[in-house]
Amino acid sequence: MSDVRVLVVEDEPVLAEAHKAYTERVPGFVVVGVAHTGREAMAALRPGAGADVDLVLLDFRLPDLHGLEVCRALRAAGSGTDVLAVTSARDLAAVRTAVSLGVTHYLLKPFTFAAFRDKLERYAEYRRHALAEGEVAAQHEVDRMFATLRGAAAHTLPKGLDEQTLNTVLAALGAQGRSAAEVGARTGISRVTARRYLEYLVSVERAARTPRYGTPGRPEMEYRPT
């Protein structure tokens, strides 16, 4: 399957470049344009305007039009281009309208690269199934497509880790940050096991690791939630 062609729509130039850079870090995605206003976005999405667009990363708070108006115009024109909302708009009315207009994902600012990558990878998996030829064989295949798109299916944890203990470790970190030994003492698991969970949290950008100096020997590692 060819790369997913993405249009970034964001009025802040620095954020537009950041979203472009994030997108290009995810295999299978290529940015074909950047728009800073709603009218620029609609011009870029007009048939025959240039490169075809598969997915729009759409900010809602644009200087000329609300992002939802861009969505309405797309649907009124019969466009099937998918939209991923990348916005700070938290009001439920906007969320409900976005769903009714077929917005595939809703990503709130600010966000980590891991969260952004997760949305794109889920979209790519959904797209792979949706563009396949033929028919679905049974209900479970339809359910799987929607679960993939909406994020209902959780990521599989590495072997030996479980979700309940992961949440306990994350809660034990606290706002100030703690070492693996301190987390282990608070949760009743060994320091080695605590470190495994903490390193996993670092790998998915849900925690950060920094050296803690002031103790004899090698510096101890301290983990903080991101």
Side-chain angles (χ1 to χ4, degrees):
M1 183 179 293
S2 60
D3 287 344
V4 177
R5 295 158 297 195
V6 178
L7 174 68
V8 174
V9 184
E10 167 62 57
D11 65 317
E12 293 287 344
V14 173
L15 287 180
E17 284 303 310
H19 297 170
K20 180 176 183 291
Y22 270 12
T23 302
E24 292 178 340
R25 286 174 61 185
V26 182
F29 290 82
V30 58
V31 175
V32 295
V34 176
H36 299 293
T37 68
R39 289 183 175 84
E40 286 181 10
M42 291 169 66
L45 292 165
R46 190 176 298 122
D52 291 334
V53 175
D54 302 311
L55 178 67
V56 182
L57 303 185
L58 181 63
D59 182 22
F60 279 1
R61 292 171 175 169
L62 300 171
D64 55 345
L65 296 171
H66 195 284
L68 289 172
E69 293 302 317
V70 176
C71 289
R72 286 193 182 94
L74 280 176
R75 300 307 174 230
S79 172
T81 302
D82 291 318
V83 176
L84 193 164
V86 182
T87 179
S88 58
R90 285 172 157 76
D91 55 300
L92 288 174
V95 176
R96 288 194 300 269
T97 304
V99 172
S100 71
L101 292 171
V103 171
T104 58
H105 279 305
Y106 200 103
L107 182 60
L108 284 172
K109 301 175 184 176
F111 51 83
T112 64
F113 172 66
F116 182 85
R117 178 183 59 203
D118 178 71
K119 297 296 186 188
L120 291 194
E121 288 177 344
R122 287 186 183 279
Y123 171 76
E125 179 68 10
Y126 160 78
R127 180 178 168 82
R128 184 176 68 82
H129 290 294
L131 295 183
E133 298 293 334
E135 300 179 349
V136 293
Q139 179 65 42
H140 74 272
E141 293 189 8
V142 178
D143 293 341
R144 183 178 62 186
M145 287 176 62
F146 276 86
T148 298
L149 182 60
R150 299 303 182 191
H155 282 306
T156 302
L157 291 173
K159 186 176 181 180
L161 304 188
D162 69 83
E163 192 73 29
Q164 182 175 348
T165 305
L166 181 69
N167 291 333
T168 302
V169 168
L170 187 57
L173 277 180
Q176 301 303 314
R178 294 188 171 92
S179 69
E182 291 166 341
V183 170
R186 283 178 170 268
T187 58
I189 60 179
S190 71
R191 181 179 63 178
V192 173
T193 300
R195 183 180 293 115
R196 285 193 64 203
Y197 280 93
L198 291 166
E199 288 296 326
Y200 171 75
L201 289 169
V202 171
S203 73
V204 296
E205 299 185 24
R206 294 181 67 187
R209 179 198 327 110
T210 55
R212 178 192 286 175
Y213 297 99
T215 55
R218 294 188 305 171
E220 192 173 28
M221 300 309 297
E222 182 176 86
Y223 299 85
R224 295 174 182 270
T226 55

